[in-house]
Amino acid sequence: MEQTYSERHKTKIKRIIYIVALTAALAGLLFGLDVGVISGVLPWLEKDWNTSTKDQEIIVSILLLGAFFGSILAGFVSRKIGRKKTILLSALIFAVGAVLSAMTTNPFAMEVVRFFLGIGVGIASFTAPLYLSESAPQAIRGGLISMYQLMITIGIVLAFVSDTLLSYGGHWRMMLGIIAVPAVLMFIGVLFLPESPRWLFLVKKVDKAKEVLTMLRNDEDEVKEEMAEIKEALENDSPESGWKLLNNPNFRRAVKLGIVLQLFQQFTGINVVMYYAPTIFKDAGFANSHQQMWGTVLVGLINVLATFIAIAFVDRFGRKPILYIGCIVMALSMCCIGYVFHVGVTTSPNMPYFAVACLLLFVVGFACSAGPLVWVVCSEIFPLAGRDAGITISTATNWLCNAVVGATFLTMLNVFGKDYTFWIFMVMNILFFFTVLLFCPETKGKSLEEIEENLMAGKSLRKIGR
Ligand code: BGC
């Protein structure tokens, strides 16, 4: 039987690929740092500036709104000036934004700077995975995209640790400013990265594209084969490509699935935990602020570790079984957290510990399922000609819903009470389960071309992976 391209080149991956990938994935680290840092800063803003609940919600969620616009902007910018310069731009925004946010003196200034930082986060969240997928050898492409998610979780936990250490002296400005250091390092690292070979092809710099591929691949044959593939893919680009493909009802079905999956990923409630973990620990009965901070570090660490479970099992067990288990675990944990608040945390000395155990279980459920897998599935369901547009829409949905959750959580606690707020998230996780059951395809072991063919032939979404 004839071997596929990836089978032929599976065993030989140049070391430089990993260096290139690691540098690009630093964008994920910064994304995580900026998302994670705020939970440790909020209690100090409340002390120093007397910030209201509304201000706190805006400070958290305005970054996400910025990321929403950034992810849409990135689609156009990265096509115009190239992937590398776009990632450089995001590193610059990360660095300048970190310094500015450390210097703000009132909630409004903080909100403006966080919006600006959000644009950087959005640009990075679109461009870095795109750069990775365009530069990586096919055989390890999935792994490199998962590495990006891993970097996000590492960024979040590093921010939690640095927040905790700096909290002893109440140095909240330093918590925000220190992020400039990795941002500058990333900027310098990215300066040395090659441009994406596929983008170079797109703007007709074919010689340069060949030069980059020669650097990243093993031999002349591999380079020639990949050049031919890219050329063919570009020639086959039908007039109905990119955003115009939205006229095609089959493509629209994939777009709707991408939107719904990202919506549910956010409505699991994960970022309630990420942004407000110290607040939740406080409400669960841990009065000491250091206890709250170390508890938050534990949440971040569990988030990183459980992501490895997904990476290890996703290609063995498939996407759907893992998503089912994740949804059940998340729904049960939310149910129990709601219960703790319903009966009252003081009813038994063990209650606070039970609440923390449920919170950690929830994070495990998310990190080994919806966290990485929604991104994986969203990168698999779109046909090549519309992948940019499809991923832009699903990524923007992720940020928008993230902003909605971030902006409403504290208000939800006030309006519905703690118990019912967590029970609402329980219901969302149950709905997520049924959405996966009814609409999500199992894409394990299928080539992207097979999935595309099934989708465009009109097969039901659930069956496009069969
Ligand atoms: C989500 C983020 C979340 C992170 C937590 C990602 O998959 O999109 O919103 O903060 O996981 O690890």
Side-chain angles (χ1 to χ4, degrees):
M1 211 170 71
E2 212 196 322
Q3 282 186 313
T4 64
Y5 176 92
S6 48
E7 277 162 353
R8 259 175 286 133
H9 300 291
K10 194 174 249 164
T11 46
K12 292 193 290 174
I13 304 290
K14 271 188 177 175
R15 193 174 310 148
I16 185 159
I17 276 291
Y18 292 105
I19 299 174
V20 166
L22 202 68
T23 314
L26 275 181
L29 190 85
L30 279 154
F31 164 172
L33 283 171
D34 274 305
V35 168
V37 72
I38 203 65
S39 71
V41 174
L42 286 181
W44 298 100
L45 297 187
E46 204 178 337
K47 255 188 210 148
D48 288 3
W49 293 347
N50 206 5
T51 45
S52 63
T53 300
K54 201 75 242 154
D55 271 331
Q56 292 188 39
E57 284 178 342
I58 297 177
I59 288 170
V60 167
S61 53
I62 197 135
L63 177 128
L64 311 167
L65 202 64
F68 168 72
F69 288 113
S71 63
I72 294 175
L73 196 72
F76 300 102
V77 178
S78 68
R79 198 176 174 111
K80 193 99 198 131
I81 66 170
R83 320 310 194 201
K84 178 178 164 173
K85 284 191 191 138
T86 311
I87 300 180
L88 279 175
L89 177 71
S90 72
L92 198 68
I93 298 179
F94 282 132
V96 175
V99 174
L100 287 180
S101 60
M103 288 164 42
T104 51
T105 51
N106 58 64
F108 180 70
M110 181 68 91
E111 284 154 19
V112 173
V113 176
R114 296 260 307 159
F115 180 77
F116 172 69
L117 261 176
I119 294 181
V121 173
I123 292 178
S125 74
F126 175 88
T127 320
L130 182 68
Y131 176 86
L132 286 171
S133 71
E134 288 183 339
S135 310
Q138 237 178 63
I140 55 163
R141 203 174 55 205
L144 292 189
I145 298 178
S146 307
M147 188 162 103
Y148 172 76
Q149 165 74 13
L150 193 68
M151 291 294 257
I152 299 178
T153 60
I154 293 176
I156 295 178
V157 76
L158 283 181
F160 287 168
V161 170
S162 120
D163 279 6
T164 304
L165 295 176
L166 291 167
S167 72
Y168 286 91
H171 303 300
W172 64 264
R173 289 183 187 280
M174 190 106 90
M175 296 176 191
L176 294 164
I178 204 160
I179 296 179
V181 178
V184 170
L185 291 181
M186 172 179 152
F187 187 89
I188 297 171
V190 174
L191 278 179
F192 293 99
L193 288 188
E195 181 48 273
S196 143
R198 280 172 176 72
W199 179 79
L200 288 167
F201 232 110
L202 204 66
V203 291
K204 311 222 162 20
K205 294 186 179 166
V206 178
D207 289 345
K208 194 85 189 101
K210 188 170 178 198
E211 213 176 278
V212 173
L213 278 177
T214 309
M215 181 173 128
L216 300 179
R217 301 294 180 262
N218 294 299
D219 50 47
E220 187 98 358
D221 282 353
E222 211 181 325
V223 173
K224 264 199 201 135
E225 199 171 330
E226 199 163 332
M227 297 274 287
E229 264 189 9
I230 303 175
K231 193 157 169 258
E232 195 186 337
L234 287 177
E235 277 166 2
N236 286 349
D237 231 8
S238 66
E240 220 193 26
S241 72
W243 290 89
K244 287 197 209 105
L245 206 59
L246 281 172
N247 291 325
N248 182 310
N250 284 321
F251 177 64
R252 278 206 302 273
R253 290 188 304 137
V255 170
K256 279 182 211 156
L257 179 63
I259 291 176
V260 169
L261 287 177
Q262 289 286 15
L263 183 140
F264 275 115
Q265 194 220 40
Q266 289 304 311
F267 288 169
T268 55
I270 182 64
N271 286 313
V272 157
V273 179
M274 293 296 148
Y275 307 143
Y276 298 107
T279 315
I280 299 175
F281 280 114
K282 189 166 120 200
D283 290 345
F286 294 93
N288 178 319
S289 75
H290 296 305
Q291 276 177 340
Q292 293 160 19
M293 297 297 282
W294 284 113
T296 307
V297 171
L298 192 63
V299 165
L301 210 58
I302 297 274
N303 190 26
V304 175
L305 295 179
T307 305
F308 282 106
I309 303 180
I311 294 174
F313 292 119
V314 60
D315 287 317
R316 215 179 302 166
F317 297 149
R319 284 74 169 132
K320 289 183 79 162
I322 300 183
L323 279 169
Y324 291 144
I325 296 173
C327 289
I328 295 171
V329 170
M330 289 186 287
L332 276 177
S333 327
M334 283 297 186
C335 174
C336 293
I337 299 174
Y339 170 78
V340 171
F341 287 124
H342 189 70
V343 295
V345 278
T346 48
T347 44
S348 136
N350 291 329
M351 267 309 184
Y353 297 101
F354 179 60
V356 170
C358 295
L359 200 70
L360 294 180
L361 191 66
F362 171 81
V363 174
V364 171
F366 176 85
C368 72
S369 67
L373 294 196
V374 166
W375 293 106
V376 170
V377 174
C378 283
S379 72
E380 294 175 328
I381 53 173
F382 300 114
L384 181 63
R387 201 161 291 155
D388 267 26
I391 295 180
T392 298
I393 296 171
S394 56
T395 305
T397 308
N398 176 284
W399 287 114
L400 195 66
C401 296
N402 196 332
V404 169
V405 174
T408 52
F409 176 63
L410 295 180
T411 309
M412 276 173 81
L413 289 182
N414 287 340
V415 174
F416 302 115
K418 292 182 190 117
D419 44 3
Y420 283 95
T421 300
F422 285 97
W423 283 337
I424 290 175
F425 285 116
M426 172 191 79
V427 173
M428 295 314 290
N429 282 296
I430 295 173
L431 292 177
F432 190 10
F433 178 95
F434 286 107
T435 305
V436 173
L437 181 75
L438 296 175
F439 303 110
C440 188
E442 178 53 79
T443 47
K444 181 191 99 174
K446 284 284 157 194
S447 78
L448 297 182
E449 289 68 32
E450 283 169 297
I451 298 170
E452 171 165 349
E453 204 181 305
N454 287 338
L455 173 79
M456 294 319 235
K459 273 198 178 180
S460 76
L461 282 173
R462 200 153 51 106
K463 296 191 178 143
I464 59 175
R466 283 199 207 143

